[in-house]
Amino acid sequence: MVEWEERLDIEAAGLDHSPLVRSYELEVARPTLRDNTGLADRLARAVQKEAGLAEVDYPLALASNLNELYLQADYHVWAACLVEGDKGKVVALEPGPGPGGTFGLAVDLGSTTLVLALVDLDKPRLVDQLTLSNPQVRHGDDILTRVHFADRPGGLESLVTCLREAVNQGASEICARHNLKPECLAAAAMAGNTTMTHFILGLPPRTIIREPYVPVINRPQGLRATDLGLNLAPEAPVLVMPNKGSYFGGDLMAGLVVAGLGRAGKPCLMVDVGTNAEVVLGHKDWLIGAAGAAGPALEGGVARMGMVASPGAIDQVRIDRQTKTLTYRTVDGLPPKGICGSGLIDLFAELFLSGLIDFQGKLTLSPGDPRRVETDEGSAFLVAPASETESGKAITLSEVEIDILTRSKAGMYTILGTVLKSVGLTFDQIDRFYVAGTFGQYIDPRMAVAVGMLPDIPLERFVPLGNSSLKGAVLALVSGKARAEVLDIWQRLTYLEMNVNQELMNRFSAARFIPHTHRDLFPSVGTIIT
Amino acid sequence: MVEWEERLDIEAAGLDHSPLVRSYELEVARPTLRDNTGLADRLARAVQKEAGLAEVDYPLALASNLNELYLQADYHVWAACLVEGDKGKVVALEPGPGPGGTFGLAVDLGSTTLVLALVDLDKPRLVDQLTLSNPQVRHGDDILTRVHFADRPGGLESLVTCLREAVNQGASEICARHNLKPECLAAAAMAGNTTMTHFILGLPPRTIIREPYVPVINRPQGLRATDLGLNLAPEAPVLVMPNKGSYFGGDLMAGLVVAGLGRAGKPCLMVDVGTNAEVVLGHKDWLIGAAGAAGPALEGGVARMGMVASPGAIDQVRIDRQTKTLTYRTVDGLPPKGICGSGLIDLFAELFLSGLIDFQGKLTLSPGDPRRVETDEGSAFLVAPASETESGKAITLSEVEIDILTRSKAGMYTILGTVLKSVGLTFDQIDRFYVAGTFGQYIDPRMAVAVGMLPDIPLERFVPLGNSSLKGAVLALVSGKARAEVLDIWQRLTYLEMNVNQELMNRFSAARFIPHTHRDLFPSVGTIIT
């Protein structure tokens, strides 16, 4: 794992510092009668010499106003060069001294939020970060609605345009904060799920969601900012992380590189909980992955009061074991609006650990208890009374929702168990258990173990990856080894088909209790209760 | 030299048949639950297998309507693939069976005429050819006027647009004749002088004509049809022959490949007479070139009655040694309009050989002779009386014009001699003397020798190259060796600076007589006279 300090300590993580693009401040030799090399060719020559490359190409798009640029800059220029092996290609050009470094943009293409990072490729260093709402939400909260919307006349275009505009807007903003021109951004890397990747590429996602669930493209190559309508340096290379089918998106590839699964000496697990749950198990010699529907409930997307971890979301819950008093924390300390993923897991676990629900997820409170309320969905637990909430409506969790949560966590545990069994491993043999995404960032592993969603292994083995989609994009910008690893992982990862057979159903049924039918699988859970 | 028969016999000329682009008719594997490879990736995989390549890329631009195309074509497609070493890139895609072969466009970007050839890259074979007027003529007959016009607001855009439109128009026409869609043209190669090359690239030519005479770009790379606004397959690669400065254009590089100078075992010479005269001397181990102002007069561009070899141009002249009667031939046998380059050289030589002008280019006819007329330019020779010409005005050649011709031929002979002397060779050591362009195609070498423009070597050593600009472009489309040779020649060719010193002036002065001050340099000329 890379330490995400001011300076990215990528060497310590077994990666190298070899940025996708390097930039140079150059004095271009003035044309003379004795040296009448073309204006573009003499720049390529200067870059080649400075960068020590065998060959440097110069794109036509940068050639048209070269004479004016030389005259304006008095032949003192800043040039950024895409490096691949011993060959280079000039991708950005400005009058000297230029932006004072080599800067790129890393983007996490989330379906709800877009996160942009300004990266200094030279140091390498994460300069700044910016989070935006994904404006596609106006055409559909969930990704499936957007895929259908894309089928309407003009639908795809609207989705693509607003997404690209948001990225451009974000790039302008983050650049403005640091006195940079977006046209100086000489490289970009992006990661997202398969559908989001198709949107940024301008490709129709319709085949992704229809049997046999095939993306238009797995591994986009040779992209430039201008191809994606991005207002960076027009010739700036844009890496878009490859996907392996509908479930295994570029965000997962990014996460695997951040976790270093492809470099690990011992078996590790990584889970990413988004619209679906994706699980990858493996190490440097092999990688096996599986995906299944386990996610939405765990991310807060199914519960009626579920919401993303934005201000006002309940993100932590505690229930006193003796008094059964519930206390909660909200993001930014605002009156509660709903419950986010981590809050939901907390609530679920605390309800169980304090005995307010039983191992089947049924409320143990007797009718009449003020904490037990009746809703149109049936009996529910009162999390926050109407008097405390922002909307003035009570926040509750119904038995129906608890059942959905139970099934989701059972789904997750089933996938994990199935993948492990396929290679004959047990949970205690797992060296590191990486939890990707926002889910992994905020969730308390103790709570996830308590409800039987994650296996009962020593807590220190759980490693949250944070926004691994963004971090993977950053790594791709600054490290050639990371770029190679993305491709390596992409090629090596084999997909384990989760055939719905009797064994899987048994496994799932056994996991539908809290924490599990076989309590001996969760020895530590008893400890927490007492 | 390649024999330009129905089938191009390139192997016999030491070149290979390895087209820039190859095409395949393929059955793409239908997506299934077990093989959910992306739509684009499965095509790349199919092409890779069929072509036996290590890796095949797929451009984003071809991906967007892939699903519709597969469904329409029932997964039976035609794909063209750019091949570079063991890597490929899909550049065109059509529903099967496609155009029934791999077709490309070769273009000679002449400043007066554009010549397009439809090339079958598979056979390889020249399918058809088409000549168009260069519509840029409306913005200036000569290239210099156009370069100045390009400086005006919107000027460059007009020149570029009309040129590209003409190429598109020509491509449509030539395709229509053979029931092809222009979008099926999967490759193009173009050659022209440095300025014409800049126009097709959309680049401002202003620096080419101003000291220190520097082009914007010498060697354009990685161009696609869409980059140049050409209506071929948008991703079709377009080779534009590199230039080596203002004088040594891509047309010269094309000519050198056609002549095979880079492969020759013994020293050979090539001259190309256009706006300037370019001379290249060398063989497989070295190449040296020089350029100078010798051309326009020889091409018919300076004489008042000069014109291109279009219908009505006098292209051949004979004067009876005894009766001094002049007979001429015109293109298409029409009443004469003017004199083209070859006609001018014929006239010049015949006037001298029949004794009507002396060795200084002065008319020997006595005043009063009906063949001697007075014009506002002084004494002139009457070539065609007013009664015979199309315009009803007499066609004449004045002593002033004869003097310009003499200086031009002296310029040419001086360049040739200087280049030879620089490497210590004499004319009799020249194995082949290639004469490129329209000039070489129509000129009678005996006449050019008679006036002392070309050296007095055995006539069979003179080899006209025809439209070597077009032919070189064709070779680049069909032969990898030819493509490599273009770059090799481009890198190896060294430029001999024609320093104006006393020796050069002496050389020039000696050549200002007909055929030369030193008659012994032209032993055969005496023979012709008698």
Side-chain angles (χ1 to χ4, degrees):
Chain A
M1 282 265 306
V2 173
E3 285 308 311
W4 295 83
E5 301 299 323
E6 171 79 351
R7 183 182 175 286
L8 300 171
D9 192 7
I10 50 178
E11 284 88 355
L15 295 172
D16 63 332
H17 179 219
S18 51
L20 179 62
V21 163
R22 290 181 189 271
S23 72
Y24 307 94
E25 229 184 296
L26 301 161
E27 299 297 326
V28 177
R30 279 157 214 270
T32 63
L33 280 171
R34 300 209 71 84
D35 175 12
N36 67 346
T37 303
L39 300 177
D41 304 71
R42 63 179 55 236
L43 178 68
R45 193 177 59 185
V47 171
Q48 183 188 334
K49 206 177 146 193
E50 187 74 23
L53 295 167
E55 200 183 315
V56 170
D57 280 8
Y58 194 89
L60 182 61
L62 291 182
S64 43
N65 67 341
L66 257 182
N67 193 43
E68 289 69 24
L69 189 137
Y70 282 154
L71 297 178
Q72 178 202 337
D74 202 23
Y75 292 86
H76 175 78
V77 303
W78 171 87
C81 181
L82 168 64
V83 181
E84 277 172 348
D86 61 350
K87 292 191 177 176
K89 183 184 161 198
V90 178
V91 293
L93 184 69
E94 292 283 328
T102 316
F103 297 93
L105 190 71
V107 183
D108 163 31
L109 297 165
S111 48
T112 310
T113 53
L114 307 171
V115 189
L116 277 65
L118 179 64
V119 183
D120 176 341
L121 276 66
D122 295 333
K123 294 278 189 292
R125 193 170 66 93
L126 208 68
V127 180
D128 201 352
Q129 205 166 310
L130 181 83
T131 302
L132 302 165
S133 295
N134 183 336
Q136 294 182 319
V137 168
R138 82 172 82 109
H139 300 302
D141 269 334
D142 64 299
I143 207 91
L144 203 62
T145 312
R146 290 180 221 169
V147 173
H148 289 299
F149 183 83
D151 268 345
R152 292 205 223 162
L156 177 61
E157 209 191 318
S158 301
L159 285 161
V160 171
T161 307
C162 75
L163 177 63
R164 291 174 172 180
E165 274 172 4
V167 173
N168 283 333
Q169 180 60 32
S172 290
E173 237 177 279
I174 204 164
C175 280
R177 289 184 195 164
H178 300 273
N179 265 323
L180 285 171
K181 294 190 298 177
E183 311 90 71
C184 288
L185 294 178
M190 310 198 169
N193 67 38
T194 303
T195 304
M196 283 306 299
T197 301
H198 275 54
F199 284 135
I200 198 77
L201 294 174
L203 296 174
R206 73 188 315 273
T207 53
I208 300 175
I209 60 151
R210 290 174 173 86
E211 204 178 317
Y213 313 110
V214 180
V216 174
I217 201 159
N218 293 131
R219 188 191 157 201
Q221 284 170 282
L223 301 173
R224 303 165 305 165
T226 185
D227 299 324
L228 305 189
L230 299 179
N231 301 338
L232 321 178
E235 295 288 318
V238 180
L239 298 178
V240 175
M241 295 278 175
N243 66 70
K244 194 120 187 175
S246 311
Y247 293 126
F248 284 4
D251 46 357
L252 193 78
M253 302 301 149
L256 288 171
V257 172
V258 174
L261 238 68
R263 277 164 278 145
K266 296 180 188 170
C268 295
L269 260 172
M270 186 182 96
V271 299
D272 193 356
V273 181
T275 308
N276 290 287
E278 291 116 33
V279 171
V280 179
L281 170 67
H283 58 48
K284 60 182 165 47
D285 296 329
W286 52 266
L287 290 167
I288 185 165
L298 306 180
E299 257 212 328
V302 167
R304 275 206 299 190
M305 304 310 294
M307 65 180 285
V308 296
S310 57
I314 293 175
D315 66 344
Q316 202 185 70
V317 176
R318 291 290 175 268
I319 299 176
D320 187 280
R321 299 289 180 270
Q322 266 72 48
T323 65
K324 314 294 182 197
T325 313
L326 183 145
T327 50
Y328 58 80
R329 187 183 74 185
T330 63
V331 176
D332 292 354
L334 298 179
K337 279 184 188 172
I339 317 178
C340 70
S342 61
L344 212 51
I345 301 294
D346 260 25
L347 174 61
F348 186 23
E350 287 287 298
L351 284 173
F352 175 68
L353 294 173
S354 59
L356 293 175
I357 57 174
D358 63 16
F359 73 106
Q360 292 188 81
K362 298 292 170 207
L363 288 172
T364 58
L365 295 164
S366 26
D369 187 301
R371 290 278 174 186
R372 183 182 185 126
V373 292
E374 293 305 314
T375 68
D376 48 7
E377 255 190 355
S379 297
F381 181 79
L382 181 70
V383 181
S387 59
E388 294 175 10
T389 69
E390 197 222 31
S391 66
K393 284 182 188 164
I395 294 174
T396 59
L397 185 73
S398 70
E399 285 185 336
V400 173
E401 289 169 323
I402 293 170
D403 187 53
I404 294 172
L405 275 171
T406 308
R407 278 188 281 132
S408 291
K409 76 94 188 168
M412 171 65 105
Y413 193 78
T414 304
I415 301 170
L416 289 170
T418 306
V419 172
L420 258 86
K421 184 166 179 280
S422 76
V423 291
L425 287 176
T426 52
F427 283 117
D428 58 311
Q429 290 173 294
I430 299 304
D431 192 48
R432 286 281 175 278
F433 192 119
Y434 298 100
V435 191
T438 323
F439 181 75
Q441 201 160 3
Y442 297 109
I443 201 183
D444 183 339
R446 288 179 307 164
M447 297 295 171
V449 171
V451 296
M453 181 177 95
L454 297 182
D456 195 0
I457 57 172
L459 285 178
E460 66 274 15
R461 295 196 190 168
F462 289 105
V463 184
L465 290 178
N467 187 340
S468 53
S469 184
L470 183 73
K471 289 178 181 177
V474 173
L475 289 182
L477 284 178
V478 301
S479 168
K481 271 199 185 172
R483 291 190 291 279
E485 201 172 293
V486 170
L487 285 186
D488 176 60
I489 287 171
W490 177 75
Q491 276 160 343
R492 280 167 53 201
L493 183 59
T494 53
Y495 185 75
L496 179 70
E497 198 74 49
M498 299 288 277
N499 294 311
V500 181
N501 53 25
Q502 195 54 49
E503 195 208 320
L504 189 94
M505 287 311 294
N506 291 346
R507 200 178 275 277
F508 180 72
S509 300
R512 279 198 62 187
F513 294 88
I514 311 167
H516 198 275
T517 305
H518 306 295
R519 280 296 295 257
D520 52 333
L521 290 173
F522 289 83
S524 78
V525 177
T527 322
I528 303 178
I529 287 185
T530 56
Chain B
M1 284 264 304
V2 173
E3 285 307 313
W4 294 83
E5 303 297 324
E6 170 79 354
R7 184 184 174 283
L8 300 171
D9 192 6
I10 48 176
E11 283 89 356
L15 294 173
D16 64 332
H17 178 219
S18 51
L20 179 62
V21 163
R22 291 181 188 271
S23 71
Y24 307 93
E25 230 185 294
L26 300 162
E27 300 296 327
V28 177
R30 279 156 214 268
T32 62
L33 280 172
R34 300 212 72 85
D35 175 12
N36 66 347
T37 304
L39 300 176
D41 305 71
R42 62 181 55 235
L43 179 67
R45 192 177 59 185
V47 171
Q48 183 188 333
K49 205 176 147 192
E50 187 75 21
L53 294 167
E55 201 182 315
V56 170
D57 279 8
Y58 194 89
L60 182 61
L62 292 182
S64 44
N65 67 341
L66 213 40
N67 192 43
E68 288 69 23
L69 189 138
Y70 282 155
L71 296 179
Q72 178 202 338
D74 202 22
Y75 292 87
H76 175 78
V77 302
W78 171 87
C81 180
L82 168 65
V83 181
E84 277 171 349
D86 62 349
K87 290 189 177 179
K89 183 186 161 197
V90 178
V91 293
L93 185 69
E94 292 283 328
T102 317
F103 297 94
L105 190 71
V107 183
D108 163 32
L109 297 165
S111 49
T112 310
T113 52
L114 308 171
V115 190
L116 277 66
L118 180 64
V119 183
D120 176 340
L121 276 68
D122 295 332
K123 294 277 189 293
R125 192 169 68 92
L126 209 67
V127 180
D128 202 351
Q129 206 166 309
L130 180 83
T131 302
L132 302 165
S133 296
N134 184 336
Q136 293 181 320
V137 169
R138 82 172 82 111
H139 300 303
D141 268 335
D142 64 300
I143 206 93
L144 204 62
T145 313
R146 290 179 221 169
V147 174
H148 289 298
F149 183 83
D151 268 344
R152 294 205 221 158
L156 177 62
E157 207 191 320
S158 300
L159 286 161
V160 171
T161 306
C162 76
L163 177 63
R164 291 174 171 181
E165 273 172 5
V167 173
N168 283 333
Q169 179 60 34
S172 288
E173 237 176 279
I174 204 163
C175 279
R177 289 184 195 164
H178 300 273
N179 266 321
L180 285 171
K181 294 190 297 179
E183 312 88 72
C184 287
L185 295 179
M190 310 199 168
N193 67 39
T194 303
T195 304
M196 284 305 299
T197 301
H198 275 54
F199 283 136
I200 198 76
L201 294 174
L203 295 174
R206 74 187 316 271
T207 53
I208 299 175
I209 60 152
R210 290 173 173 85
E211 203 178 319
Y213 313 110
V214 180
V216 175
I217 200 160
N218 293 130
R219 186 190 158 201
Q221 284 170 284
L223 301 173
R224 303 164 305 162
T226 185
D227 297 325
L228 305 189
L230 299 179
N231 301 337
L232 321 177
E235 296 288 318
V238 180
L239 298 178
V240 174
M241 294 280 175
N243 67 70
K244 195 121 187 173
S246 309
Y247 292 127
F248 284 5
D251 47 356
L252 193 78
M253 301 301 149
L256 288 170
V257 172
V258 175
L261 239 68
R263 277 163 280 145
K266 296 179 186 171
C268 294
L269 262 170
M270 186 181 97
V271 300
D272 193 356
V273 181
T275 309
N276 289 288
E278 291 115 33
V279 172
V280 179
L281 169 67
H283 58 48
K284 59 183 166 47
D285 296 330
W286 52 267
L287 290 167
I288 185 164
L298 306 180
E299 256 212 331
V302 165
R304 276 208 298 189
M305 305 307 297
M307 64 179 285
V308 295
S310 56
I314 294 176
D315 66 344
Q316 201 185 70
V317 175
R318 290 292 174 269
I319 298 175
D320 188 281
R321 300 290 179 268
Q322 267 71 48
T323 63
K324 314 293 181 199
T325 314
L326 181 145
T327 50
Y328 58 79
R329 188 183 72 183
T330 62
V331 176
D332 291 354
L334 298 179
K337 281 184 187 172
I339 317 178
C340 71
S342 62
L344 213 50
I345 300 296
D346 260 25
L347 174 61
F348 186 23
E350 287 286 299
L351 284 173
F352 174 68
L353 294 174
S354 59
L356 293 176
I357 58 173
D358 63 16
F359 74 105
Q360 292 188 81
K362 297 291 171 206
L363 289 171
T364 56
L365 295 166
S366 28
D369 187 301
R371 290 278 173 184
R372 182 181 185 125
V373 293
E374 294 305 315
T375 67
D376 48 6
E377 253 190 359
S379 297
F381 180 80
L382 181 70
V383 181
S387 59
E388 294 175 10
T389 67
E390 198 222 30
S391 67
K393 286 182 188 164
I395 293 174
T396 60
L397 185 74
S398 71
E399 285 184 336
V400 173
E401 288 169 323
I402 291 170
D403 189 52
I404 294 171
L405 275 171
T406 307
R407 279 190 280 129
S408 291
K409 75 95 187 168
M412 172 66 104
Y413 193 77
T414 304
I415 300 170
L416 288 170
T418 306
V419 172
L420 258 84
K421 183 164 179 285
S422 76
V423 291
L425 287 175
T426 53
F427 283 118
D428 58 314
Q429 292 173 292
I430 298 304
D431 190 50
R432 286 281 175 279
F433 192 120
Y434 297 100
V435 191
T438 324
F439 181 74
Q441 201 161 4
Y442 297 108
I443 201 185
D444 182 341
R446 288 178 309 163
M447 298 295 174
V449 171
V451 296
M453 181 176 96
L454 297 183
D456 196 1
I457 56 172
L459 286 178
E460 65 274 15
R461 295 197 192 166
F462 290 106
V463 185
L465 289 177
N467 188 339
S468 52
S469 184
L470 183 73
K471 289 177 181 178
V474 172
L475 288 182
L477 284 178
V478 302
S479 169
K481 271 199 184 171
R483 291 190 292 279
E485 201 173 290
V486 170
L487 285 186
D488 176 60
I489 287 171
W490 176 77
Q491 275 160 344
R492 279 167 53 202
L493 183 59
T494 54
Y495 185 74
L496 179 69
E497 197 74 49
M498 299 289 276
N499 294 312
V500 181
N501 54 23
Q502 196 52 50
E503 196 209 319
L504 189 94
M505 288 312 293
N506 291 346
R507 199 177 276 275
F508 180 72
S509 300
R512 281 197 60 186
F513 295 89
I514 310 169
H516 198 273
T517 305
H518 306 295
R519 279 299 292 257
D520 53 334
L521 289 174
F522 289 83
S524 79
V525 177
T527 324
I528 304 178
I529 286 185
T530 56

